[in-house]
Amino acid sequence: MIRFTLNGTQIEVQDGENRTLLEYLRNVKCMKGTKEACSTGHCGACSVLVDGRLTRSCVTLMHRLDGKAVETIENAPNDTMLQVIQHSFLDVGAVQCGFCTPGMVMATKALLLHHPAPTEPEICDGLKNNYCRCTGYVKIIEAVKLAAARLRGEEPDIDSFRSYESTVIVVGENQVVPEITGSAVGKSVWDVDGMDKTGGKLKFCDDLTAEDIGADTLLHGAFVWAPAPHAKINAVDYSAAEQAEGVVRIVTAADVPGMNKVGTWTPEQPVFCTDEVRFLGDHLALVVADTAAHARAAAKLVKIDYEELPGIYTMADGYRKNSFIVHTGRVSGDVEQAKQRTDIVKLNVSKDIEPQEHACMEPVSAIGMVQDGKTILYACTQAPFEIRSMLAKILDKPEEDIRVIVTPLGGGFGKKCDSFLEAPAVVAAHACGKPVKITLTRKEDLILTTKRHGYHTDYEIGFTPDGKFQYLDCRMFSDGGPYECESYGTLMTGALMSGGPYIIPNVKVEGSAIRNNNLQGGAFRGYGINQAAISIETAMDMMAEKLGIDPFELRRRNAVYPGATSVGGEVLKYSMGMMDTINQCEKSLKKALKEYEASIPRAARCLDGAWPRDLRMSASARVFSPMTARAS
């Protein structure tokens, strides 16, 4: 028998319990404030206090708790210290999506128990195991400083803790979000869900129970994943899985009433694959069982007879094999004629930009159910109306019979614009006659969900010797994966912004998304602009060096202004603060360089005080271009 206290209440658990503390809290005690995000002890969303010490509950086995005291975020109503920390987080605006917040609040309490007046380095060290994808940590550090001062009995001015901005935050009282009276411009009010977020009460999709959705039962689904990135499926044996403990049904393509394709914008990916899989995130079936553990165990029993097929895993290989998802581009002026001018200074630069995972704190989750003849979907999605339209075709039902309920998003960043679990969840609900929840593990999330597209860009730019941009000849290639997802939209946006915020009279841009068997490319903050910005700004720095012109001055000579036309063809009618931005960047960079130079031994610098060439920005190696692809 294991005996411990949980938020002051004595608990007894049968000896030999192998589950983790997080499993016990979420599934047995139904305490959803402690979040499950990584399940490997890395992110801190599951943080609790054990005997006053910060502990990651997802890797803490129950038998280690014997004789100890456990405190979770649910103890906040009984804990003045937690309440002060909660209010401090809200008062400085340190709460955004809220998924990491309960763990961050618990980490703050653990820190302040031992360091009532922490320095900023001590705060950073105390919170080093707690990740946040939204805030950038500045506000969180300010919140900890404010909470520490309040807990010491001080009554500090909140503005004195704001390091980088002076926004007026209208704070609440008695756990009530205040109303803003008079002008609301320039003011921020407490997050309307703020108290629920800091107290762990806000329910994300995976937190929802049968009771929350008005159902008697909630089943759970686990996918039968593709056995290889590209393979022909000869046969699938579900017999062992069907007989496994707790299994209700195995849902396959045969259960899809209408279109067996998903995609928020262009449906291409099968809801369930039949004869072929095209990347590791494809799935053949959904095993539905009474618990998530039973569903996952049964899914592992499925036997797949398959033949691995050749795949495309690089953009160069996709280009050679003419494997494309989509093409786009833009032409204005006459680039070829501009290239013939004898006074043009030319420069070529190629960039290889890696894919990037969004790393939303909340793993993707969805719940499908049928109620009174209507289909209801709970999902952490950024595209509810597009999802509803897609589901109407998959279920062969009118849109008015489908309702999509967007649950709070534990991070989005564009990742949750695409469709992942929505269709399998509702198809399973119809097939089983009961609500079905699917929640991905972190590993599954990394495999199935979209990433920021990897890019290869080839840029040729031409300037006059006095630093005036004359032409841009650009080719962009994105790593799309097997299905379109957001490849067209991001590529089109990248093409429109390929020349950055500069006036370029002659432009030719060609964009291609490569279809391959890699992970899927999709929307991510910037939506294709980031890859273009890296490429054009690198080229601008290199051209400034080649012309002997200060890089900020080169940008001033070519910056857009009210009345100018962008590379995308838009006439910019209003002020866009471009000059102010360049000037501020120059000021900030020179200050940072001065501070950095002072920290470097003089022997590491050139005799004249300039930085060695190998410390300056230089062109990346030309790993791939259509020219080298053709030659090979």
Side-chain angles (χ1 to χ4, degrees):
M1 185 74 67
I2 301 168
R3 295 181 175 86
F4 64 97
T5 61
L6 176 60
N7 296 333
T9 301
Q10 187 69 37
I11 300 292
E12 292 186 355
V13 179
Q14 288 296 321
D15 191 17
E17 190 67 63
N18 290 322
R19 62 163 58 103
T20 64
L21 174 56
L22 179 62
E23 291 177 292
Y24 178 79
L25 293 173
R26 290 184 61 81
N27 298 326
V28 178
K29 304 300 290 185
C30 204
M31 300 171 72
K32 305 292 187 177
T34 306
K35 301 301 180 186
E36 184 167 12
C38 73
S39 300
T40 56
H42 288 87
C43 75
C46 69
S47 295
V48 298
L49 299 188
V50 177
D51 285 349
R53 297 183 64 86
L54 189 64
T55 303
R56 283 160 280 182
S57 61
C58 73
V59 291
T60 301
L61 294 176
M62 293 292 293
H63 69 79
R64 297 177 57 188
L65 302 177
D66 195 37
K68 299 185 183 297
V70 177
E71 183 181 8
T72 73
I73 193 69
E74 282 83 5
N75 198 42
N78 307 313
D79 188 312
T80 302
M81 189 174 184
L82 284 178
Q83 292 174 21
V84 170
I85 295 169
Q86 289 175 301
H87 280 72
S88 298
F89 268 68
L90 290 170
D91 287 350
V92 300
V95 179
Q96 289 194 29
C97 83
F99 195 86
C100 75
T101 304
M104 203 71 72
V105 168
M106 298 307 293
T108 301
K109 177 174 179 178
L111 170 68
L112 298 182
L113 282 172
H114 303 285
H115 299 280
T119 62
E120 187 161 316
E122 287 174 333
I123 294 173
C124 293
D125 185 65
L127 303 184
K128 66 183 179 183
N129 292 318
N130 288 75
Y131 294 173
C132 176
R133 282 288 288 115
C134 299
T135 65
Y137 299 100
V138 171
K139 291 294 171 191
I140 292 172
I141 293 170
E142 293 175 4
V144 176
K145 291 179 179 179
L146 177 60
R150 287 172 167 172
L151 289 169
R152 293 194 301 268
E154 302 170 16
E155 296 183 4
D157 176 17
I158 295 176
D159 284 332
S160 65
F161 291 91
R162 296 199 173 110
S163 307
Y164 297 103
E165 48 104 17
S166 56
T167 302
V168 175
I169 295 180
V170 182
V171 301
E173 295 180 1
N174 300 320
Q175 301 186 6
V176 176
V177 177
E179 294 184 6
I180 293 182
T181 57
S183 175
V185 176
K187 297 179 182 178
S188 296
V189 70
W190 260 17
D191 187 338
V192 294
D193 296 320
M195 287 304 300
D196 286 343
K197 290 174 180 176
T198 58
K201 297 178 182 178
L202 185 67
K203 293 191 175 182
F204 297 86
C205 191
D206 189 44
D207 296 331
L208 298 176
T209 64
E211 183 180 0
D212 292 322
I213 63 174
D216 296 327
T217 304
L218 181 57
L219 302 176
H220 298 265
F223 285 119
V224 178
W225 296 98
H230 192 203
K232 176 185 176 182
I233 304 301
N234 297 320
V236 185
D237 182 0
Y238 296 111
S239 57
E242 289 171 335
Q243 300 303 314
E245 182 180 1
V247 172
V248 175
R249 183 170 180 144
I250 297 178
V251 181
T252 67
D255 295 299
V256 180
M259 174 185 73
N260 187 35
K261 299 286 185 182
V262 301
T264 308
W265 311 105
T266 305
E268 285 191 329
Q269 182 179 2
V271 179
F272 297 109
C273 294
T274 53
D275 57 350
E276 185 178 359
V277 292
R278 293 173 176 84
F279 85 124
L280 288 173
D282 271 335
H283 25 77
L284 302 171
L286 184 75
V287 178
V288 180
D290 56 348
T291 69
H294 286 159
R296 293 188 183 283
K300 293 178 181 178
L301 301 176
V302 175
K303 297 179 180 179
I304 305 171
D305 178 13
Y306 69 96
E307 176 187 344
E308 191 160 359
L309 300 174
I312 297 173
Y313 303 108
T314 67
M315 285 186 278
D317 193 27
Y319 183 90
R320 283 191 294 265
K321 295 176 179 177
N322 199 34
S323 180
F324 298 103
I325 294 174
V326 68
H327 300 280
T328 188
R330 174 168 176 76
V331 176
S332 63
D334 191 333
V335 169
E336 294 306 316
Q337 185 178 45
K339 287 183 179 183
Q340 302 308 313
R341 289 179 49 175
T342 59
D343 62 336
I344 293 294
V345 179
K346 301 178 181 180
L347 184 146
N348 290 277
V349 59
S350 297
K351 299 296 291 182
D352 288 288
I353 303 165
E354 293 295 317
Q356 183 183 359
E357 161 64 26
H358 303 73
C360 302
M361 294 296 292
E362 174 202 23
V364 172
S365 181
I367 301 172
M369 66 181 297
V370 181
Q371 189 175 67
D372 300 327
K374 306 288 185 180
T375 301
I376 300 175
L377 170 74
Y378 294 84
C380 50
T381 177
Q382 292 175 263
F385 295 100
E386 291 80 6
I387 293 293
R388 185 175 70 162
S389 178
M390 178 194 76
L391 292 179
K393 299 179 180 68
I394 292 170
L395 297 174
D396 195 21
K397 287 179 173 290
E399 285 191 35
E400 54 266 31
D401 287 347
I402 301 170
R403 182 185 181 194
V404 177
I405 300 173
V406 178
T407 55
L409 267 63
F413 322 126
K415 171 179 184 166
K416 294 171 182 175
C417 290
D418 282 302
S419 174
F420 304 115
L421 308 183
E422 295 86 355
V426 297
V427 169
H430 277 271
C432 298
K434 295 180 180 179
V436 177
K437 178 196 285 188
I438 310 171
T439 300
L440 300 181
T441 64
R442 179 58 59 183
K443 179 179 178 181
E444 292 170 339
D445 193 298
L446 288 169
I447 293 173
L448 174 58
T449 62
T450 56
K451 319 301 171 195
R452 189 194 298 280
H453 288 85
Y455 262 57
H456 173 87
T457 60
D458 288 322
Y459 269 57
E460 181 181 327
I461 59 175
F463 277 67
T464 55
D466 62 348
K468 297 295 289 185
F469 217 141
Q470 294 303 305
Y471 74 84
L472 165 66
D473 189 354
C474 165
R475 280 180 290 187
M476 318 180 84
F477 302 88
S478 69
D479 189 342
Y483 309 111
E484 182 173 326
C485 296
E486 299 269 353
S487 285
Y488 173 69
T490 54
L491 184 66
M492 177 189 66
T493 307
L496 292 174
M497 296 300 295
S498 57
Y502 306 112
I503 299 170
I504 311 174
N506 303 289
V507 175
K508 182 172 72 173
V509 183
E510 299 174 5
S512 300
I514 305 293
R515 191 185 296 276
N516 54 40
N517 303 103
N518 294 334
L519 300 181
Q520 302 250 64
F524 197 155
R525 284 178 170 175
Y527 204 69
I529 297 174
N530 309 63
Q531 296 92 325
I534 290 171
S535 302
I536 185 61
E537 297 302 338
T538 299
M540 290 291 285
D541 282 339
M542 293 174 63
M543 181 57 76
E545 184 175 24
K546 190 168 186 176
L547 295 174
I549 300 174
D550 179 86
F552 291 102
E553 178 56 28
L554 187 67
R555 287 169 168 82
R556 291 188 188 96
R557 294 180 189 182
N558 295 280
V560 292
Y561 54 83
T565 301
S566 71
V567 169
E570 180 184 5
V571 178
L572 305 170
K573 298 180 179 180
Y574 308 103
S575 171
M576 69 292 296
M578 188 60 194
M579 287 298 181
D580 290 339
T581 301
I582 294 172
N583 294 338
Q584 184 58 51
C585 286
E586 180 181 31
K587 179 180 177 181
S588 298
L589 180 61
K590 287 184 176 179
K591 179 183 177 183
L593 284 175
K594 187 175 181 180
E595 294 172 353
Y596 184 56
E597 183 176 6
S599 67
I600 300 296
R602 187 171 182 80
R605 290 181 262 135
C606 296
L607 293 177
D608 60 358
W611 293 101
R613 182 176 178 81
D614 60 359
L615 293 181
R616 301 174 192 164
M617 183 178 293
S618 60
S620 67
R622 194 183 187 92
V623 178
F624 157 66
S625 74
M627 294 297 105
T628 56
R630 288 193 188 100
S632 60

